Amino acid sequence: MAKKVLIVEDNELNLKLFCDLLRAHDYDARGVSDGREALATAREFAPDLVIMDIQLPHVSGLDLIAAMRADDALREIPVMAVTAYAAHGDEARIRAAGAQAYVSKPISVMRFVGSVEALL
């Protein structure tokens, strides 16, 4: 059975790219473009991995990661942050929030897929 990956990304082009890349590597990928839907979708979809944009409208990806870590049903799901935040200290701050991996945008396809494989 294919591993399930939930992508939380507000940029429709990035969301399509991530879903297409993962599906091409035999993952069951589902995307949400509104972070307010992320937790409910994660509970329903039960992903093996969540790929989380950090800069989202309405709710921060960091807040979503914190909410996942506080939720018994979601706390064990690994999170890979994919973000344009690449300033000094951003990776440490994102990992401290509970993300297990960090990939900066624009992504390297090989690094992106490799990070997904390493987490799964």
Side-chain angles (χ1 to χ4, degrees):
M1 183 188 302
K3 295 282 188 176
K4 297 191 290 186
V5 181
L6 174 64
I7 302 105
V8 183
E9 169 64 64
D10 65 308
N11 180 295
E12 291 294 333
L13 291 175
N14 285 342
L15 183 60
K16 181 175 177 1
L17 171 67
F18 298 161
C19 286
D20 289 348
L21 273 172
L22 293 170
R23 289 175 184 141
H25 286 85
D26 298 319
Y27 293 102
D28 179 3
R30 183 180 297 181
V32 295
S33 59
D34 188 331
R36 296 173 295 186
E37 301 170 10
L39 298 178
T41 302
R43 286 185 201 101
E44 179 266 321
F45 184 53
D48 299 294
L49 172 68
V50 173
I51 296 174
M52 180 76 68
D53 186 13
I54 298 302
Q55 190 172 0
L56 297 164
H58 312 296
V59 60
S60 158
L62 292 175
D63 291 340
L64 289 172
I65 294 169
M68 286 180 63
R69 296 299 167 244
D71 186 309
D72 289 339
L74 305 176
R75 92 170 19 112
E76 299 300 322
I77 300 170
V79 175
M80 181 172 89
V82 180
T83 183
Y85 287 137
H88 181 71
D90 283 337
E91 181 174 359
R93 184 172 52 89
I94 290 166
R95 286 182 180 273
Q100 284 76 19
Y102 168 92
V103 176
S104 62
K105 293 178 187 172
I107 67 163
S108 152
V109 171
M110 296 303 291
R111 182 166 182 229
F112 177 83
V113 172
S115 294
V116 168
E117 290 172 352
L119 287 168
L120 293 173

